[in-house]
Amino acid sequence: MHAEIPGRIAIDEALAIIRAVAAERAPAPERIALRRAEGRILAEDIIAPIALPPFDNSWMDGFALRHADLAACPWPPRMRIAGAQYAGMDPGRPLESGCCVRITTGAALPAGADTVVIKEDVREDDGWIELGHLPEPGADIRRAGEDVMAGERLLGAGQVLTPARVSLLAALGIAGIAVAPRPTVAVFTTGDELVEPGMPLPPGRIYNSNRDLLMGLLRQHGLEPTAWPTLPDETERIRNQLEDAAAAFDLVLTCGGVSAGEKDFLPDFLAAHGKVHFWKVRMKPGMPVLFGQRERALFLSLPGNPVSVLATFLALGVPLLDGLQGRREPRLRWHARLAGPWRKTHGRHEFLRGRLQPGADGIVRVAPNAADASHRLRGAAESDALIVLPEGERAYAADEVVEILPY
Ligand code: AMP
Ligand code: MG
């Protein structure tokens, strides 16, 4: 008999519990070099220390000049080239009246210059340029601060550091930032039937496929998980290992041993030696998933079937990892049209495997994989997204818009 454990809940309740528990743990931020910041969650607000661009500069390779001088020239206007201004040079001397300077893209505009003519639009001859037509005043100049003004708030705590954001911080000269620490994660597979790939396969045994699935999913989400040896179906050994992991990791991720079978020890272990936040969610696959904690470690115990691992990790594991890192920016919710009809014949919140492909109109269609049993890994390998169908029986027509979780 299992000890006092909460019963089946809806996926939204499970998510609410996960978010609440994760929010209580908000860890102290750590400072890291910007060079290592990609994918991390920012833990401070970023106020621009300088303007972008920092100074007026040329947009093109050409000649910088004062537009009024040009307008005063007889036709066709000619100007003497009084010097060169290359990217990286300081703005130098102010522009001599009636002259231009050769300038390259990104070079600071000399004082007095207000317009750039691109080199393709001039004829150059012995230190002079001749223009075929008049440029607009202010043409091909990038103004200081037109992208960012010094003192503007650009990013906030809880935002993800995408490569473009890291690059923006670099452009501002910021070299170190405060981010949320990444949770440390211990990964356990369980079951006497498991054999590691590369070893001979005795009768009645199967290869361990979930470890690589979980390690890969975690790494895809930027973590550096630690794989522990597979746990046998043996209460004492399981207990020692899980206690050791709980003392050293922020999150213990297990798979298998969480259903109601004779050898499913995890619910009892956590009920007796920790706490169960929920056990069993009205989802398919993945119903037996359990969320609990022991000491400082949170436990997310996923069911053993490979597709259940995928669905529970994407549906519950990712929000847990986001919560633990203080991510405030919601993940985008993607949708696609069903490539064909589908009949949902049970009440649970369902995750079907599906293949994404553009329809004739270019809009993404998702084709459900007919092999929808949770042990059928091939269907997951041949798909690129889970199709999310909310609770309730229902017939879906071709072209209906459904939510998808790409993986
Ligand atoms: P369990 O919840 O432990 O009863 O496991 C459910 C099903 O998933 C069983 O058929 C297990 O053999 C299978 N399974 C459990 N763990 C793994 C694993 N690491 N790799 C592949 N299959 C597994
Ligand atoms: Mg098992």
Side-chain angles (χ1 to χ4, degrees):
M1 258 316 279
H2 294 288
E4 278 295 303
I5 293 178
R8 289 185 189 198
I9 58 172
I11 193 145
D12 286 345
E13 293 173 72
L15 282 168
I17 294 171
I18 282 177
R19 293 202 180 101
V21 171
E24 279 167 20
R25 322 213 140 207
E30 61 183 2
R31 281 200 78 76
I32 61 164
L34 188 74
R35 303 256 140 80
R36 306 294 304 270
E38 199 258 306
R40 303 293 295 265
I41 308 290
L42 200 55
E44 63 176 336
D45 290 349
I46 301 291
I47 310 295
I50 58 169
L52 289 180
F55 48 85
D56 292 349
N57 67 92
S58 177
W59 197 334
M60 302 293 268
D61 294 329
F63 298 88
L65 46 83
R66 192 180 290 107
H67 196 269
D69 292 352
L70 203 56
C73 291
W75 190 263
R78 283 167 53 81
M79 275 186 163
R80 189 169 61 81
I81 305 170
Q85 184 66 16
Y86 298 121
M89 289 166 68
D90 74 39
R93 285 181 295 120
L95 188 65
E96 277 174 55
S97 159
C99 294
C100 66
V101 294
R102 188 185 304 283
I103 196 160
T104 59
T105 304
L109 215 59
D114 59 10
T115 301
V116 167
V117 280
I118 64 174
K119 62 193 247 213
E120 293 78 357
D121 282 353
V122 305
R123 211 163 51 79
E124 199 184 325
D125 176 29
D126 199 23
W128 287 72
I129 57 166
E130 185 180 299
L131 281 78
H133 65 88
L134 282 185
E136 290 291 315
D140 289 317
I141 289 190
R142 308 188 287 205
R143 293 279 168 213
E146 70 180 14
D147 196 15
V148 171
M149 309 237 274
E152 271 189 283
R153 181 182 173 283
L154 294 181
L155 294 171
Q159 282 192 285
V160 188
L161 289 164
T162 60
R165 290 172 179 170
V166 172
S167 155
L168 175 63
L169 299 183
L172 293 166
I174 294 171
I177 42 166
V179 296
R182 276 199 161 129
T184 53
V185 186
V187 170
F188 284 96
T189 48
T190 69
D192 288 338
E193 72 276 31
L194 299 181
V195 175
E196 291 313 311
M199 304 300 281
L201 190 67
R205 313 277 295 270
I206 59 167
Y207 285 118
N208 184 353
S209 56
N210 287 347
R211 175 185 290 138
D212 291 302
L213 175 59
L214 272 174
M215 296 294 284
L217 288 167
L218 287 159
R219 289 192 188 115
Q220 234 181 20
H221 285 81
L223 295 148
E224 291 166 21
T226 304
W228 284 55
T230 292
L231 295 174
D233 290 324
E234 196 184 309
T235 322
E236 266 320 289
R237 295 262 314 276
I238 288 186
R239 191 179 143 182
N240 293 339
Q241 298 267 311
L242 292 179
E243 283 179 352
D244 285 350
F249 287 81
D250 299 318
L251 175 63
V252 178
L253 209 52
T254 68
C255 68
V258 78
S259 311
E262 232 171 281
K263 304 251 176 182
D264 293 332
F265 304 112
L266 271 150
D268 278 344
F269 166 77
L270 280 171
H273 305 287
K275 184 166 177 334
V276 174
H277 294 299
F278 62 73
W279 183 34
K280 296 186 178 169
V281 175
R282 295 198 299 273
M283 62 189 284
K284 182 182 185 297
M287 198 265 290
V289 60
L290 180 152
F291 178 52
Q293 71 184 76
R294 178 187 153 81
E295 292 170 1
R296 55 167 247 160
L298 293 177
F299 274 67
L300 186 63
S301 292
L302 313 180
N305 278 307
V307 185
S308 309
V309 171
L310 184 62
T312 47
F313 179 84
L314 294 176
L316 302 171
V318 172
L320 175 58
L321 294 170
D322 286 348
L324 288 173
Q325 292 173 84
R327 177 175 170 143
R328 286 188 215 145
E329 199 167 32
R331 283 183 186 264
L332 292 178
R333 295 181 69 157
W334 300 102
H335 292 81
R337 291 187 183 282
L338 276 176
W342 187 263
R343 179 166 285 282
K344 182 167 178 283
T345 55
H346 61 87
R348 281 185 268 159
H349 192 96
E350 178 151 34
F351 297 89
L352 293 171
R353 281 139 282 176
R355 191 162 178 79
L356 300 175
Q357 59 221 167
D361 54 4
I363 297 200
V364 179
R365 297 285 191 287
V366 62
N369 193 303
D372 62 343
S374 62
H375 63 289
R376 296 185 66 166
L377 192 49
R378 178 180 175 176
E382 288 174 353
S383 301
D384 6 65
L386 294 180
I387 304 169
V388 186
L389 304 180
E391 284 198 82
E393 291 179 28
R394 195 179 145 201
Y396 286 84
D399 272 353
E400 266 198 62
V401 173
V402 289
E403 187 178 347
I404 52 168
L405 287 174
Y407 59 84

PDB file of all heavy atoms in Angstrom, residues 289-320:
ATOM      1  N   VAL A 289       3.157  10.510 -13.339  1.00  0.00           N
ATOM      2  CA  VAL A 289       4.241  11.434 -12.974  1.00  0.00           C
ATOM      3  C   VAL A 289       4.069  11.964 -11.543  1.00  0.00           C
ATOM      4  O   VAL A 289       2.948  12.210 -11.091  1.00  0.00           O
ATOM      5  CB  VAL A 289       4.322  12.602 -13.995  1.00  0.00           C
ATOM      6  CG1 VAL A 289       3.037  13.392 -14.056  1.00  0.00           C
ATOM      7  CG2 VAL A 289       5.510  13.510 -13.698  1.00  0.00           C
ATOM      8  N   LEU A 290       5.199  12.088 -10.863  1.00  0.00           N
ATOM      9  CA  LEU A 290       5.175  12.491  -9.458  1.00  0.00           C
ATOM     10  C   LEU A 290       6.117  13.676  -9.247  1.00  0.00           C
ATOM     11  O   LEU A 290       7.204  13.729  -9.816  1.00  0.00           O
ATOM     12  CB  LEU A 290       5.622  11.300  -8.599  1.00  0.00           C
ATOM     13  CG  LEU A 290       5.675  11.476  -7.086  1.00  0.00           C
ATOM     14  CD1 LEU A 290       5.438  10.127  -6.419  1.00  0.00           C
ATOM     15  CD2 LEU A 290       7.005  12.040  -6.633  1.00  0.00           C
ATOM     16  N   PHE A 291       5.679  14.614  -8.423  1.00  0.00           N
ATOM     17  CA  PHE A 291       6.525  15.765  -8.090  1.00  0.00           C
ATOM     18  C   PHE A 291       6.613  15.846  -6.578  1.00  0.00           C
ATOM     19  O   PHE A 291       5.590  15.816  -5.887  1.00  0.00           O
ATOM     20  CB  PHE A 291       5.905  17.038  -8.659  1.00  0.00           C
ATOM     21  CG  PHE A 291       6.664  18.298  -8.349  1.00  0.00           C
ATOM     22  CD1 PHE A 291       8.029  18.399  -8.612  1.00  0.00           C
ATOM     23  CD2 PHE A 291       6.012  19.408  -7.813  1.00  0.00           C
ATOM     24  CE1 PHE A 291       8.723  19.574  -8.344  1.00  0.00           C
ATOM     25  CE2 PHE A 291       6.703  20.586  -7.554  1.00  0.00           C
ATOM     26  CZ  PHE A 291       8.063  20.667  -7.815  1.00  0.00           C
ATOM     27  N   GLY A 292       7.828  15.883  -6.064  1.00  0.00           N
ATOM     28  CA  GLY A 292       7.981  15.923  -4.612  1.00  0.00           C
ATOM     29  C   GLY A 292       9.298  16.546  -4.238  1.00  0.00           C
ATOM     30  O   GLY A 292       9.958  17.199  -5.056  1.00  0.00           O
ATOM     31  N   GLN A 293       9.686  16.376  -3.016  1.00  0.00           N
ATOM     32  CA  GLN A 293      10.988  16.889  -2.606  1.00  0.00           C
ATOM     33  C   GLN A 293      11.518  16.119  -1.420  1.00  0.00           C
ATOM     34  O   GLN A 293      10.757  15.465  -0.700  1.00  0.00           O
ATOM     35  CB  GLN A 293      10.917  18.376  -2.274  1.00  0.00           C
ATOM     36  CG  GLN A 293      10.181  18.710  -0.997  1.00  0.00           C
ATOM     37  CD  GLN A 293      10.112  20.228  -0.848  1.00  0.00           C
ATOM     38  OE1 GLN A 293       9.325  20.907  -1.508  1.00  0.00           O
ATOM     39  NE2 GLN A 293      10.942  20.755   0.043  1.00  0.00           N
ATOM     40  N   ARG A 294      12.805  16.145  -1.295  1.00  0.00           N
ATOM     41  CA  ARG A 294      13.427  15.619  -0.090  1.00  0.00           C
ATOM     42  C   ARG A 294      14.564  16.567   0.233  1.00  0.00           C
ATOM     43  O   ARG A 294      15.413  16.851  -0.603  1.00  0.00           O
ATOM     44  CB  ARG A 294      13.984  14.215  -0.331  1.00  0.00           C
ATOM     45  CG  ARG A 294      14.672  13.686   0.913  1.00  0.00           C
ATOM     46  CD  ARG A 294      15.370  12.386   0.684  1.00  0.00           C
ATOM     47  NE  ARG A 294      16.476  12.275   1.626  1.00  0.00           N
ATOM     48  CZ  ARG A 294      16.378  11.900   2.883  1.00  0.00           C
ATOM     49  NH1 ARG A 294      15.209  11.559   3.389  1.00  0.00           N
ATOM     50  NH2 ARG A 294      17.434  11.864   3.676  1.00  0.00           N
ATOM     51  N   GLU A 295      14.542  17.072   1.455  1.00  0.00           N
ATOM     52  CA  GLU A 295      15.499  18.094   1.851  1.00  0.00           C
ATOM     53  C   GLU A 295      15.536  19.197   0.807  1.00  0.00           C
ATOM     54  O   GLU A 295      14.508  19.663   0.368  1.00  0.00           O
ATOM     55  CB  GLU A 295      16.870  17.469   2.103  1.00  0.00           C
ATOM     56  CG  GLU A 295      16.821  16.579   3.332  1.00  0.00           C
ATOM     57  CD  GLU A 295      18.046  15.726   3.537  1.00  0.00           C
ATOM     58  OE1 GLU A 295      18.985  15.801   2.739  1.00  0.00           O
ATOM     59  OE2 GLU A 295      18.048  14.966   4.523  1.00  0.00           O
ATOM     60  N   ARG A 296      16.763  19.581   0.363  1.00  0.00           N
ATOM     61  CA  ARG A 296      16.818  20.725  -0.547  1.00  0.00           C
ATOM     62  C   ARG A 296      16.476  20.346  -1.985  1.00  0.00           C
ATOM     63  O   ARG A 296      16.307  21.200  -2.847  1.00  0.00           O
ATOM     64  CB  ARG A 296      18.182  21.391  -0.498  1.00  0.00           C
ATOM     65  CG  ARG A 296      19.312  20.444  -0.779  1.00  0.00           C
ATOM     66  CD  ARG A 296      20.610  21.168  -1.031  1.00  0.00           C
ATOM     67  NE  ARG A 296      21.005  20.982  -2.428  1.00  0.00           N
ATOM     68  CZ  ARG A 296      21.845  21.749  -3.079  1.00  0.00           C
ATOM     69  NH1 ARG A 296      22.380  22.776  -2.492  1.00  0.00           N
ATOM     70  NH2 ARG A 296      22.162  21.517  -4.326  1.00  0.00           N
ATOM     71  N   ALA A 297      16.401  19.044  -2.263  1.00  0.00           N
ATOM     72  CA  ALA A 297      16.232  18.628  -3.659  1.00  0.00           C
ATOM     73  C   ALA A 297      14.765  18.457  -4.023  1.00  0.00           C
ATOM     74  O   ALA A 297      13.986  17.864  -3.273  1.00  0.00           O
ATOM     75  CB  ALA A 297      16.963  17.320  -3.891  1.00  0.00           C
ATOM     76  N   LEU A 298      14.410  18.967  -5.192  1.00  0.00           N
ATOM     77  CA  LEU A 298      13.089  18.667  -5.739  1.00  0.00           C
ATOM     78  C   LEU A 298      13.201  17.365  -6.519  1.00  0.00           C
ATOM     79  O   LEU A 298      14.247  17.072  -7.104  1.00  0.00           O
ATOM     80  CB  LEU A 298      12.632  19.792  -6.661  1.00  0.00           C
ATOM     81  CG  LEU A 298      12.364  21.121  -5.967  1.00  0.00           C
ATOM     82  CD1 LEU A 298      11.992  22.195  -6.988  1.00  0.00           C
ATOM     83  CD2 LEU A 298      11.246  20.960  -4.941  1.00  0.00           C
ATOM     84  N   PHE A 299      12.134  16.594  -6.532  1.00  0.00           N
ATOM     85  CA  PHE A 299      12.091  15.345  -7.290  1.00  0.00           C
ATOM     86  C   PHE A 299      11.024  15.451  -8.367  1.00  0.00           C
ATOM     87  O   PHE A 299       9.871  15.756  -8.066  1.00  0.00           O
ATOM     88  CB  PHE A 299      11.719  14.164  -6.383  1.00  0.00           C
ATOM     89  CG  PHE A 299      12.900  13.555  -5.687  1.00  0.00           C
ATOM     90  CD1 PHE A 299      13.591  14.269  -4.716  1.00  0.00           C
ATOM     91  CD2 PHE A 299      13.320  12.267  -6.008  1.00  0.00           C
ATOM     92  CE1 PHE A 299      14.680  13.708  -4.073  1.00  0.00           C
ATOM     93  CE2 PHE A 299      14.421  11.699  -5.376  1.00  0.00           C
ATOM     94  CZ  PHE A 299      15.103  12.417  -4.400  1.00  0.00           C
ATOM     95  N   LEU A 300      11.425  15.206  -9.602  1.00  0.00           N
ATOM     96  CA  LEU A 300      10.423  15.030 -10.645  1.00  0.00           C
ATOM     97  C   LEU A 300      10.613  13.606 -11.137  1.00  0.00           C
ATOM     98  O   LEU A 300      11.645  13.273 -11.725  1.00  0.00           O
ATOM     99  CB  LEU A 300      10.604  16.053 -11.767  1.00  0.00           C
ATOM    100  CG  LEU A 300       9.494  16.028 -12.827  1.00  0.00           C
ATOM    101  CD1 LEU A 300       8.136  16.396 -12.229  1.00  0.00           C
ATOM    102  CD2 LEU A 300       9.820  16.985 -13.975  1.00  0.00           C
ATOM    103  N   SER A 301       9.641  12.770 -10.821  1.00  0.00           N
ATOM    104  CA  SER A 301       9.750  11.356 -11.157  1.00  0.00           C
ATOM    105  C   SER A 301       8.821  11.059 -12.320  1.00  0.00           C
ATOM    106  O   SER A 301       7.601  11.122 -12.194  1.00  0.00           O
ATOM    107  CB  SER A 301       9.386  10.498  -9.942  1.00  0.00           C
ATOM    108  OG  SER A 301      10.391  10.685  -8.960  1.00  0.00           O
ATOM    109  N   LEU A 302       9.443  10.778 -13.451  1.00  0.00           N
ATOM    110  CA  LEU A 302       8.688  10.551 -14.675  1.00  0.00           C
ATOM    111  C   LEU A 302       8.416   9.067 -14.829  1.00  0.00           C
ATOM    112  O   LEU A 302       9.173   8.236 -14.341  1.00  0.00           O
ATOM    113  CB  LEU A 302       9.494  11.061 -15.882  1.00  0.00           C
ATOM    114  CG  LEU A 302      10.122  12.456 -15.743  1.00  0.00           C
ATOM    115  CD1 LEU A 302      10.881  12.831 -17.013  1.00  0.00           C
ATOM    116  CD2 LEU A 302       9.046  13.492 -15.444  1.00  0.00           C
ATOM    117  N   PRO A 303       7.341   8.715 -15.532  1.00  0.00           N
ATOM    118  CA  PRO A 303       7.072   7.303 -15.780  1.00  0.00           C
ATOM    119  C   PRO A 303       8.158   6.703 -16.676  1.00  0.00           C
ATOM    120  O   PRO A 303       8.984   7.426 -17.237  1.00  0.00           O
ATOM    121  CB  PRO A 303       5.724   7.318 -16.484  1.00  0.00           C
ATOM    122  CG  PRO A 303       5.152   8.668 -16.232  1.00  0.00           C
ATOM    123  CD  PRO A 303       6.304   9.593 -16.080  1.00  0.00           C
ATOM    124  N   GLY A 304       8.148   5.372 -16.832  1.00  0.00           N
ATOM    125  CA  GLY A 304       9.254   4.711 -17.524  1.00  0.00           C
ATOM    126  C   GLY A 304       9.146   4.659 -19.033  1.00  0.00           C
ATOM    127  O   GLY A 304      10.163   4.611 -19.731  1.00  0.00           O
ATOM    128  N   ASN A 305       7.933   4.661 -19.556  1.00  0.00           N
ATOM    129  CA  ASN A 305       7.827   4.529 -21.010  1.00  0.00           C
ATOM    130  C   ASN A 305       8.423   5.753 -21.701  1.00  0.00           C
ATOM    131  O   ASN A 305       8.167   6.889 -21.295  1.00  0.00           O
ATOM    132  CB  ASN A 305       6.363   4.363 -21.427  1.00  0.00           C
ATOM    133  CG  ASN A 305       5.918   2.926 -21.261  1.00  0.00           C
ATOM    134  OD1 ASN A 305       6.569   2.016 -21.770  1.00  0.00           O
ATOM    135  ND2 ASN A 305       4.841   2.715 -20.524  1.00  0.00           N
ATOM    136  N   PRO A 306       9.230   5.504 -22.733  1.00  0.00           N
ATOM    137  CA  PRO A 306       9.982   6.604 -23.342  1.00  0.00           C
ATOM    138  C   PRO A 306       9.120   7.784 -23.783  1.00  0.00           C
ATOM    139  O   PRO A 306       9.512   8.940 -23.588  1.00  0.00           O
ATOM    140  CB  PRO A 306      10.650   5.940 -24.547  1.00  0.00           C
ATOM    141  CG  PRO A 306      10.774   4.507 -24.173  1.00  0.00           C
ATOM    142  CD  PRO A 306       9.594   4.198 -23.292  1.00  0.00           C
ATOM    143  N   VAL A 307       7.965   7.529 -24.356  1.00  0.00           N
ATOM    144  CA  VAL A 307       7.169   8.670 -24.828  1.00  0.00           C
ATOM    145  C   VAL A 307       6.557   9.422 -23.649  1.00  0.00           C
ATOM    146  O   VAL A 307       6.335  10.630 -23.708  1.00  0.00           O
ATOM    147  CB  VAL A 307       6.103   8.219 -25.848  1.00  0.00           C
ATOM    148  CG1 VAL A 307       5.378   9.423 -26.420  1.00  0.00           C
ATOM    149  CG2 VAL A 307       6.766   7.434 -26.966  1.00  0.00           C
ATOM    150  N   SER A 308       6.325   8.700 -22.550  1.00  0.00           N
ATOM    151  CA  SER A 308       5.858   9.377 -21.336  1.00  0.00           C
ATOM    152  C   SER A 308       6.946  10.301 -20.808  1.00  0.00           C
ATOM    153  O   SER A 308       6.663  11.388 -20.300  1.00  0.00           O
ATOM    154  CB  SER A 308       5.509   8.358 -20.248  1.00  0.00           C
ATOM    155  OG  SER A 308       4.655   7.369 -20.758  1.00  0.00           O
ATOM    156  N   VAL A 309       8.193   9.855 -20.906  1.00  0.00           N
ATOM    157  CA  VAL A 309       9.318  10.693 -20.472  1.00  0.00           C
ATOM    158  C   VAL A 309       9.334  11.988 -21.283  1.00  0.00           C
ATOM    159  O   VAL A 309       9.417  13.087 -20.735  1.00  0.00           O
ATOM    160  CB  VAL A 309      10.661   9.941 -20.639  1.00  0.00           C
ATOM    161  CG1 VAL A 309      11.847  10.868 -20.394  1.00  0.00           C
ATOM    162  CG2 VAL A 309      10.711   8.740 -19.696  1.00  0.00           C
ATOM    163  N   LEU A 310       9.208  11.836 -22.591  1.00  0.00           N
ATOM    164  CA  LEU A 310       9.226  13.006 -23.470  1.00  0.00           C
ATOM    165  C   LEU A 310       8.086  13.974 -23.118  1.00  0.00           C
ATOM    166  O   LEU A 310       8.297  15.177 -22.947  1.00  0.00           O
ATOM    167  CB  LEU A 310       9.095  12.525 -24.921  1.00  0.00           C
ATOM    168  CG  LEU A 310       9.188  13.559 -26.022  1.00  0.00           C
ATOM    169  CD1 LEU A 310      10.540  14.242 -26.023  1.00  0.00           C
ATOM    170  CD2 LEU A 310       8.938  12.900 -27.382  1.00  0.00           C
ATOM    171  N   ALA A 311       6.878  13.429 -23.000  1.00  0.00           N
ATOM    172  CA  ALA A 311       5.707  14.286 -22.760  1.00  0.00           C
ATOM    173  C   ALA A 311       5.776  14.947 -21.382  1.00  0.00           C
ATOM    174  O   ALA A 311       5.510  16.148 -21.252  1.00  0.00           O
ATOM    175  CB  ALA A 311       4.423  13.476 -22.896  1.00  0.00           C
ATOM    176  N   THR A 312       6.133  14.192 -20.353  1.00  0.00           N
ATOM    177  CA  THR A 312       6.157  14.791 -19.016  1.00  0.00           C
ATOM    178  C   THR A 312       7.311  15.777 -18.890  1.00  0.00           C
ATOM    179  O   THR A 312       7.189  16.800 -18.224  1.00  0.00           O
ATOM    180  CB  THR A 312       6.242  13.714 -17.915  1.00  0.00           C
ATOM    181  OG1 THR A 312       7.264  12.771 -18.276  1.00  0.00           O
ATOM    182  CG2 THR A 312       4.929  12.990 -17.744  1.00  0.00           C
ATOM    183  N   PHE A 313       8.431  15.475 -19.554  1.00  0.00           N
ATOM    184  CA  PHE A 313       9.541  16.435 -19.484  1.00  0.00           C
ATOM    185  C   PHE A 313       9.133  17.749 -20.134  1.00  0.00           C
ATOM    186  O   PHE A 313       9.320  18.823 -19.565  1.00  0.00           O
ATOM    187  CB  PHE A 313      10.819  15.894 -20.148  1.00  0.00           C
ATOM    188  CG  PHE A 313      11.943  16.890 -20.083  1.00  0.00           C
ATOM    189  CD1 PHE A 313      12.737  16.969 -18.950  1.00  0.00           C
ATOM    190  CD2 PHE A 313      12.163  17.791 -21.117  1.00  0.00           C
ATOM    191  CE1 PHE A 313      13.746  17.937 -18.850  1.00  0.00           C
ATOM    192  CE2 PHE A 313      13.162  18.751 -21.026  1.00  0.00           C
ATOM    193  CZ  PHE A 313      13.961  18.815 -19.894  1.00  0.00           C
ATOM    194  N   LEU A 314       8.554  17.667 -21.345  1.00  0.00           N
ATOM    195  CA  LEU A 314       8.208  18.907 -22.048  1.00  0.00           C
ATOM    196  C   LEU A 314       7.077  19.658 -21.351  1.00  0.00           C
ATOM    197  O   LEU A 314       7.098  20.884 -21.256  1.00  0.00           O
ATOM    198  CB  LEU A 314       7.823  18.612 -23.503  1.00  0.00           C
ATOM    199  CG  LEU A 314       8.954  18.080 -24.392  1.00  0.00           C
ATOM    200  CD1 LEU A 314       8.415  17.745 -25.778  1.00  0.00           C
ATOM    201  CD2 LEU A 314      10.094  19.079 -24.508  1.00  0.00           C
ATOM    202  N   ALA A 315       6.106  18.898 -20.841  1.00  0.00           N
ATOM    203  CA  ALA A 315       4.927  19.569 -20.269  1.00  0.00           C
ATOM    204  C   ALA A 315       5.179  20.079 -18.851  1.00  0.00           C
ATOM    205  O   ALA A 315       4.657  21.125 -18.471  1.00  0.00           O
ATOM    206  CB  ALA A 315       3.742  18.606 -20.265  1.00  0.00           C
ATOM    207  N   LEU A 316       5.967  19.351 -18.063  1.00  0.00           N
ATOM    208  CA  LEU A 316       6.134  19.715 -16.651  1.00  0.00           C
ATOM    209  C   LEU A 316       7.585  20.014 -16.292  1.00  0.00           C
ATOM    210  O   LEU A 316       7.859  20.905 -15.483  1.00  0.00           O
ATOM    211  CB  LEU A 316       5.617  18.565 -15.762  1.00  0.00           C
ATOM    212  CG  LEU A 316       4.152  18.177 -15.997  1.00  0.00           C
ATOM    213  CD1 LEU A 316       3.792  16.903 -15.235  1.00  0.00           C
ATOM    214  CD2 LEU A 316       3.214  19.307 -15.570  1.00  0.00           C
ATOM    215  N   GLY A 317       8.505  19.268 -16.873  1.00  0.00           N
ATOM    216  CA  GLY A 317       9.921  19.459 -16.550  1.00  0.00           C
ATOM    217  C   GLY A 317      10.435  20.822 -16.994  1.00  0.00           C
ATOM    218  O   GLY A 317      11.128  21.513 -16.246  1.00  0.00           O
ATOM    219  N   VAL A 318      10.068  21.213 -18.197  1.00  0.00           N
ATOM    220  CA  VAL A 318      10.556  22.505 -18.708  1.00  0.00           C
ATOM    221  C   VAL A 318      10.021  23.667 -17.856  1.00  0.00           C
ATOM    222  O   VAL A 318      10.796  24.535 -17.439  1.00  0.00           O
ATOM    223  CB  VAL A 318      10.224  22.659 -20.212  1.00  0.00           C
ATOM    224  CG1 VAL A 318      10.543  24.067 -20.697  1.00  0.00           C
ATOM    225  CG2 VAL A 318      11.004  21.623 -21.027  1.00  0.00           C
ATOM    226  N   PRO A 319       8.708  23.705 -17.545  1.00  0.00           N
ATOM    227  CA  PRO A 319       8.241  24.778 -16.652  1.00  0.00           C
ATOM    228  C   PRO A 319       8.932  24.755 -15.282  1.00  0.00           C
ATOM    229  O   PRO A 319       9.173  25.813 -14.691  1.00  0.00           O
ATOM    230  CB  PRO A 319       6.737  24.492 -16.501  1.00  0.00           C
ATOM    231  CG  PRO A 319       6.376  23.727 -17.730  1.00  0.00           C
ATOM    232  CD  PRO A 319       7.591  22.914 -18.085  1.00  0.00           C
ATOM    233  N   LEU A 320       9.275  23.570 -14.800  1.00  0.00           N
ATOM    234  CA  LEU A 320       9.977  23.499 -13.517  1.00  0.00           C
ATOM    235  C   LEU A 320      11.375  24.122 -13.647  1.00  0.00           C
ATOM    236  O   LEU A 320      11.786  24.936 -12.808  1.00  0.00           O
ATOM    237  CB  LEU A 320      10.073  22.033 -13.059  1.00  0.00           C
ATOM    238  CG  LEU A 320      10.881  21.782 -11.787  1.00  0.00           C
ATOM    239  CD1 LEU A 320      10.330  22.570 -10.605  1.00  0.00           C
ATOM    240  CD2 LEU A 320      10.919  20.284 -11.449  1.00  0.00           C
TER     241      LEU A 320
END
